[in-house]
Structure formats: C-alpha cells, structure tokens
Amino acid sequence: MKKQQPIENAPLLYIVQPNLGPKTCYMQKSFRWQSDKKRRNVKGAETSFPSPTFASFREMELEEQLHFLANLPEYLRPVKCKLTTKQRSYEGFVDQYESRKVVFQAIQKGRKITIPVEQVISVSLIGLPK
C-alpha cells in the first residue's frame, strides 16, 4: 500500500479584521464639589446654603422646598409642581427663588409669574414632564 503524504491543512475560516484607528475616550468635563457649609459658583464666589438634608420632599419646610426646586442640578429636568396660594393654585415649574419671591413658570398662562412667599400656602410635586 502506498503511504499518503501529509497535506498541509489550509485554514478553514478566514476572519478579516478591519484596521481601526486609535479610540478616543471622552472624559468627564465638569465636576461639582460641595462642602458642608459653602458652595462655589461658576465665577468662584462662595455662597452660603443650609447643609443638605436627606428627608423626603414632603418633610421639608416650604422655603426648603422652593429652594430645592429652584436650584436643581443641571443634569435634572425641571419638575412639574402645583403651587397653591391664598387666591388660587398654579401648575408649572419653579424658575427662581430669591429675596422672598418665587418666579413661577405657569403652564396655564404660559408666562412667568412673580409671587411673594408670604402668599404661598403649599407646593406639591405633580411629576416629571414628558
């Protein structure tokens, strides 16, 4: 019988790898550092604020609720809420809270309303906008 010579095996499957360039990594561009008593704003000035509480929104005082809604972090969308005053109630978003006045973006009228804090009775969350 004739002896078979070994046949060099050719690869059965060819995998073609694309020639990709170097990968770019997107790093964090900003950060927020917060101490217990002071916060630095973008211009470097320090502003005082009460230390953060981990209580739920309903357990906060009225001024804490308004301060919280007016100063949400940039990465959170505004929260829709119902602001009840002595005369009527509004649905919308708290835009600003400073010098004992609330600037409120009402949905019904589509404009900003300035309301003194003394007239505000309660603030309740309705939900996130869609």
Side-chain angles (χ1 to χ4, degrees):
M1 202 173 215
K2 203 174 192 185
K3 207 176 199 187
Q4 288 185 342
Q5 292 188 356
I7 301 175
E8 199 170 308
N9 290 336
L12 298 176
L13 179 64
Y14 292 95
I15 300 175
V16 179
Q17 296 292 327
N19 188 8
L20 299 176
K23 292 189 175 195
T24 56
C25 297
Y26 297 101
M27 303 301 286
Q28 179 177 349
K29 293 181 181 179
S30 65
F31 68 95
R32 181 173 286 196
W33 176 78
Q34 180 172 310
S35 67
D36 288 341
K37 302 277 180 176
K38 296 185 179 191
R39 176 203 284 168
R40 289 191 181 271
N41 62 13
V42 177
K43 296 177 184 173
E46 289 185 355
T47 56
S48 297
F49 68 98
S51 60
T53 59
F54 297 99
S56 69
F57 186 78
R58 283 183 245 154
E59 293 174 357
M60 292 180 183
E61 298 290 327
L62 180 63
E63 291 193 26
E64 286 178 312
Q65 290 175 344
L66 293 171
H67 184 270
F68 174 77
L69 291 172
N71 297 313
L72 287 173
E74 294 175 7
Y75 54 87
L76 292 178
R77 298 190 310 190
V79 179
K80 188 175 173 184
C81 59
K82 181 177 181 180
L83 187 98
T84 307
T85 63
K86 294 177 182 177
Q87 288 84 22
R88 59 178 295 196
S89 62
Y90 302 95
E91 287 186 9
F93 308 97
V94 175
D95 193 36
Q96 293 177 354
Y97 171 62
E98 53 189 35
S99 64
R100 308 282 301 158
K101 294 188 186 243
V102 179
V103 179
F104 192 76
Q105 177 72 40
I107 293 175
Q108 297 98 347
K109 299 191 179 202
R111 60 188 168 118
K112 294 184 180 182
I113 303 166
T114 303
I115 304 167
V117 175
E118 293 79 25
Q119 295 197 4
V120 177
I121 297 172
S122 68
V123 178
S124 59
L125 300 178
I126 295 175
L128 295 173
K130 294 181 180 178

